[in-house]
Amino acid sequence: MPIGIDLGSRFVKIVQTSDFKEFKKIRLDTVQFLTQRVKAGSEKTKHALILADLGLRPEKSLVVTGYGKHLMGEKIKAITEIRAHFRGACFQTGLKDFILVEMGGQDSKVLWVQDKKVMDFQTNDKCAAGTGRYLENMARLLNINIRKLSRKIEEPVQINNTCAIFGETEIIGFLMDQVPLERICAGINDSVSRRVIQMIRRYLPFPLVLCGGVALNKGVVTLLSRRYGQPIIIPEEPQFNGAIGCCLEGVSMEKIYESSKKGQSQQPRNLGLLKGKAEGLTKDS
Amino acid sequence: MKNLEPLLEEKAKSIGITSTIPVEVLFAAGRVPVDLNNIFITSPQAAAWVEEAEEEGFPRTLCSWIKGIYAALKHRPEIQTVIAVTQGDCSNTQALTEILVHQGIKVIHFNYPYNRDPALFKKNLEELMGHFGVSWSKVDRIRKRISPVRKKLALLDRETWKGNRVHGWENHLFLVNSSDFKGDLGLYEEELTQFLDALADRAKIPETVRLGYIGIPPIHSGFYGFIEQLGGRVVFNEIQRQFSLPGFGNNLIQQYLDYTYPYDIFGRIKDIGQAVEERKLDGLIHYTQTFCFRQVQDLLIRKQLSVPILTLEGDKPRPIDNRTRFRLEAFIDVLRK
Ligand code: SF4
């Protein structure tokens, strides 16, 4: 049973599955995970201790991705987030051509996938604009619950700065002008959607798949699909997409291992066979 | 100051070049071509040189190669004449030559006609020959002398992508140095021949992710080694290969009209496209220099070639930075089958 771990900057996402139909999912706060669970242990046993702690049996096919991917010990197979999200999204959506936007806690990524190949990708790790943290900061600034903020879509004010810091200044200006809070919230959601559009404008208008925590923000998704002129595809597990990609990688590893044992070809089989779930998974905003 | 005696003797002989030019002319005239880009980038002080130029007033928002060439000349006082490519390279080079002239360096301009007009090219070439007082027969003799060396470079290139015995950086080094043959054709040829002879004993480099490197040579160091650490290998160095004039036109003029670098992007795209097919490349790395007009061409390259492309940008000469490492890692990771 492969295990995939996406060790992100805000949350650690863990997935275990035997059939790729049922997924055991665990989500932990990264800071807590680092301070409480990543115990000193030998390089060999560290990951086993952590998994046992979570009630998971350590498996051969454990694959890790994310910022902290090397924390599980050198012996554990680590893949880049780009590969993990690519594989996760191909599987979750069943699409061959798409644009994947992954908006996590601290950074965002865009992948341009054509014919099941990543033709190009961009990463935004230098600025918080359009990330989960941006939304969190804004909610804190306005002193409202982030879930409440995420529902607002009507009459968005135009926030010109996608920069998190300057955006705050603009918002204070709106408050001083007594603009209704709803409109400011909608404006914040809209500015995130605008940021996404900026990142994908250069590509052909392929279906847009949104992953990561921001995909759960209904306001952003609605406003984004308005701007994009197409429904946005949210996979069933937007937050666990990277971890699912890791599980798929684990399966490939096992296959290579098995076939090399039997002296067969080293070529991993294409995992297209796992895509049966696609239709049920995709849903429009 | 260095001992000037031997330097003065060299003075009349060494001719700096800012980019690849018909080097046959210089050899025919008994001069020593010195590619200033190579002097700059192989200097352990390269980064400091860029700063020196900035301290003298070169803008920070200017390509580092220009500043590097400028500083290279300061550190090689024996070079008093420079051939500058002012059409077929960039307007920054043109401004650089104006500063050089002001400083008393003799500048000879060489132009590649944008429209690849053979008659115009011939005229420009003959002008260059006139500067050095060499005849066609002399130049042709040198062409015949260099021709087997160019063929050997083609062999080395084949051994890179087909024989799979040559590392990406070895391919890069030999090809990039073919712009001036390190100033000593005989020695260069000897090194190349020895290298090729030794290949027979080499095992094939295991098949991994096959990459093409396009764009001007990297200003970063550690580039090729890092790619191989990740399980990738560069089996096509676009511009470096062009420096070796792989076209083999049956006369000098044709040879330099087939050279893709100084003309429009479409010739380059065609050449790259052929390499993608023939060399079975999994992806391309497009290196672009900060503040270089060639960054704009990235758009067209992406539009016209349907192969995964990672665009990298480099500014100052230094080991590749973490962000570039991270992006290379992700790129090779997604190309793995
Ligand atoms: S890298 Fe670009 S800007 Fe710099 S010298 Fe070359 S052509 Fe000119």
Side-chain angles (χ1 to χ4, degrees):
Chain A
M1 269 213 275
I3 298 180
I5 304 184
D6 180 356
L7 241 158
S9 55
R10 289 284 281 110
F11 295 106
V12 178
K13 284 86 55 177
I14 303 175
V15 167
Q16 182 164 41
T17 182
S18 56
D19 53 3
F20 285 88
K21 289 191 184 95
E22 302 289 324
F23 298 93
K24 178 169 184 178
K25 296 170 295 183
I26 301 172
R27 196 183 80 164
L28 303 160
D29 181 271
T30 300
V31 176
Q32 276 178 20
F33 180 80
L34 292 179
T35 51
Q36 292 166 17
R37 295 192 195 259
V38 180
K39 295 173 179 153
S42 77
E43 280 295 299
K44 256 192 182 158
T45 55
K46 191 195 265 173
H47 72 281
L49 283 175
I50 297 170
L51 292 173
D53 222 16
L54 296 167
L56 294 170
R57 255 204 21 227
E59 300 283 341
K60 263 196 304 245
S61 47
L62 166 65
V63 176
V64 190
T65 192
Y67 267 173
K69 61 179 184 256
H70 298 298
L71 277 173
M72 296 297 271
E74 264 174 30
K75 289 270 148 57
I76 303 302
K77 164 131 179 153
I79 62 172
T80 60
E81 288 168 88
I82 303 289
R83 184 172 176 89
H85 283 289
F86 161 63
R87 296 205 63 173
C90 283
F91 166 71
Q92 287 210 78
T93 66
L95 294 168
K96 270 166 61 187
D97 304 316
F98 57 94
I99 301 170
L100 173 67
V101 176
E102 200 273 335
M103 302 190 104
Q106 312 256 0
D107 63 356
S108 46
K109 302 167 200 69
V110 176
L111 278 73
W112 163 247
V113 180
Q114 191 173 350
D115 213 9
K116 285 202 163 181
K117 259 201 221 162
V118 179
M119 302 298 279
D120 187 20
F121 63 86
Q122 302 165 57
T123 50
N124 165 23
D125 47 11
K126 281 191 183 145
C127 102
T131 65
R133 198 169 54 166
Y134 172 79
L135 289 164
E136 277 170 24
N137 275 356
M138 293 305 186
R140 204 175 306 129
L141 177 77
L142 295 173
N143 199 20
I144 68 165
N145 181 298
I146 179 118
R147 242 167 274 140
K148 207 168 150 202
L149 181 144
S150 80
R151 282 195 290 266
K152 304 294 180 219
I153 55 169
E154 296 310 329
E155 289 187 80
V157 292
Q158 166 105 3
I159 299 172
N160 293 313
N161 264 297
T162 45
C163 163
I165 306 290
F166 290 117
E168 280 189 17
T169 320
E170 274 188 66
I171 285 170
I172 291 172
F174 287 124
L175 288 173
M176 287 183 176
D177 291 344
Q178 302 196 321
V179 175
L181 193 61
E182 279 76 19
R183 289 193 57 205
I184 300 178
C185 291
I188 291 168
N189 291 326
D190 197 35
S191 70
V192 172
S193 79
R194 203 167 63 231
R195 174 85 190 131
V196 175
I197 295 289
Q198 279 169 359
M199 292 194 287
I200 63 178
R201 201 179 278 140
R202 68 178 81 170
Y203 303 122
L204 290 174
F206 281 177
L208 179 57
V209 181
L210 192 62
C211 283
V214 178
L216 302 172
N217 179 315
K218 292 229 167 61
V220 170
V221 174
T222 310
L223 291 164
L224 181 59
S225 86
R226 251 186 228 168
R227 279 187 184 273
Y228 196 52
Q230 281 187 37
I232 310 298
I233 298 165
I234 314 285
E236 194 165 297
E237 299 293 352
Q239 277 195 295
F240 290 89
N241 188 55
I244 290 172
C246 287
C247 287
L248 291 162
E249 191 77 17
V251 175
S252 311
M253 271 165 57
E254 274 182 352
K255 285 212 171 111
I256 295 172
Y257 178 72
E258 291 300 323
S259 63
S260 70
K261 263 202 327 206
K262 285 186 214 137
Q264 292 170 351
S265 115
Q266 293 272 334
Q267 278 294 327
R269 287 257 308 285
N270 193 311
L271 280 157
L273 61 138
L274 292 165
K275 70 167 187 255
K277 266 189 104 178
E279 272 82 13
L281 275 180
T282 56
K283 58 172 180 260
D284 295 344
S285 62
Chain B
M1 197 84 247
K2 296 171 196 159
N3 179 6
L4 273 180
E5 201 96 337
L7 290 184
L8 286 175
E9 206 174 294
E10 280 288 295
K11 190 169 165 168
K13 282 184 94 186
S14 292
I15 308 289
I17 59 176
T18 64
S19 184
T20 298
I21 51 117
V23 80
E24 286 80 358
V25 174
L26 292 183
F27 284 122
R31 304 300 182 99
V32 180
V34 182
D35 189 328
L36 299 167
N37 298 284
N38 297 347
I39 301 294
F40 160 54
I41 203 64
T42 55
S43 160
Q45 301 300 320
W49 285 8
V50 172
E51 278 171 29
E52 272 173 36
E54 285 176 356
E55 280 161 20
E56 285 192 39
F58 278 82
R60 283 181 190 280
T61 52
L62 176 82
C63 156
S64 291
W65 287 99
I66 296 290
K67 292 179 264 197
I69 291 178
Y70 172 76
L73 276 169
K74 292 222 133 174
H75 290 266
R76 292 287 293 267
E78 77 277 17
I79 303 171
Q80 284 297 318
T81 305
V82 169
I83 302 177
V85 174
T86 36
Q87 191 182 329
D89 218 351
C90 70
S91 48
N92 292 330
T93 309
Q94 188 182 324
L96 171 69
T97 61
E98 289 159 1
I99 298 224
L100 297 180
V101 167
H102 172 74
Q103 295 189 340
I105 287 179
K106 181 170 176 205
V107 176
I108 299 166
H109 294 275
F110 183 75
N111 298 334
Y112 288 94
Y114 186 73
N115 61 2
R116 278 200 170 88
D117 176 22
L120 193 50
F121 182 85
K122 184 162 183 259
K123 182 177 157 281
N124 295 347
L125 181 64
E126 285 175 346
E127 226 171 81
L128 186 69
M129 286 160 59
H131 273 293
F132 292 97
V134 290
S135 62
W136 266 110
S137 68
K138 256 192 173 170
V139 171
D140 270 334
R141 221 178 305 138
I142 292 290
R143 188 180 106 85
K144 289 207 182 88
R145 165 72 188 84
I146 296 184
S147 180
V149 184
R150 298 204 190 280
K151 291 225 166 81
K152 278 183 187 162
L153 283 169
L155 183 65
L156 169 122
D157 198 30
R158 234 182 139 66
E159 280 297 327
T160 311
W161 67 269
K162 201 152 191 210
N164 294 317
R165 288 174 217 277
V166 180
H167 293 282
W169 62 271
E170 293 169 325
N171 178 285
H172 160 81
L173 268 186
F174 273 106
L175 294 177
V176 86
N177 277 321
S178 67
S179 60
D180 63 358
F181 298 104
K182 299 209 245 180
D184 188 336
L185 188 63
L187 199 64
Y188 179 92
E189 186 178 24
E190 217 178 286
E191 259 181 49
L192 177 60
T193 313
Q194 270 175 16
F195 181 83
L196 289 173
D197 289 348
L199 282 184
D201 299 331
R202 264 201 197 179
K204 286 197 175 169
I205 302 168
E207 192 54 54
T208 46
V209 173
R210 295 170 71 85
L211 294 169
Y213 177 98
I214 64 173
I216 64 156
I219 203 160
H220 294 309
S221 57
F223 189 81
Y224 292 88
F226 183 64
I227 289 177
E228 291 199 9
Q229 258 177 40
L230 295 173
R233 186 162 64 97
V234 173
V235 296
F236 176 57
N237 281 304
E238 186 228 349
I239 299 287
Q240 295 92 320
R241 173 173 169 270
Q242 284 298 323
F243 288 167
S244 75
L245 302 179
F248 301 124
N250 44 15
N251 62 67
L252 197 71
I253 293 174
Q254 196 51 48
Q255 205 170 320
Y256 282 91
L257 291 174
D258 290 341
Y259 171 46
T260 60
Y261 178 74
Y263 309 109
D264 60 54
I265 187 70
F266 304 107
R268 281 184 56 203
I269 292 177
K270 196 169 148 224
D271 175 53
I272 298 166
Q274 279 166 358
V276 170
E277 287 286 310
E278 187 176 43
R279 300 178 187 217
K280 305 208 167 26
L281 304 181
D282 299 308
L284 295 174
I285 295 169
H286 183 200
Y287 175 80
T288 61
Q289 184 66 33
T290 311
F291 308 121
C292 175
F293 76 100
R294 293 180 190 278
Q295 286 192 319
V296 184
Q297 296 171 331
D298 189 63
L299 270 172
L300 282 173
I301 295 176
R302 285 176 178 281
K303 285 221 158 81
Q304 298 208 344
L305 293 172
S306 70
V307 59
I309 300 176
L310 177 74
T311 304
L312 296 180
E313 186 179 325
D315 181 5
K316 299 276 159 75
R318 58 166 70 120
I320 46 170
D321 57 288
N322 280 339
R323 193 178 146 73
T324 304
R325 283 168 179 266
F326 164 78
R327 300 191 68 222
L328 279 169
E329 188 192 352
F331 188 57
I332 293 172
D333 201 24
V334 283
L335 293 180
R336 276 193 294 119
K337 277 149 206 135

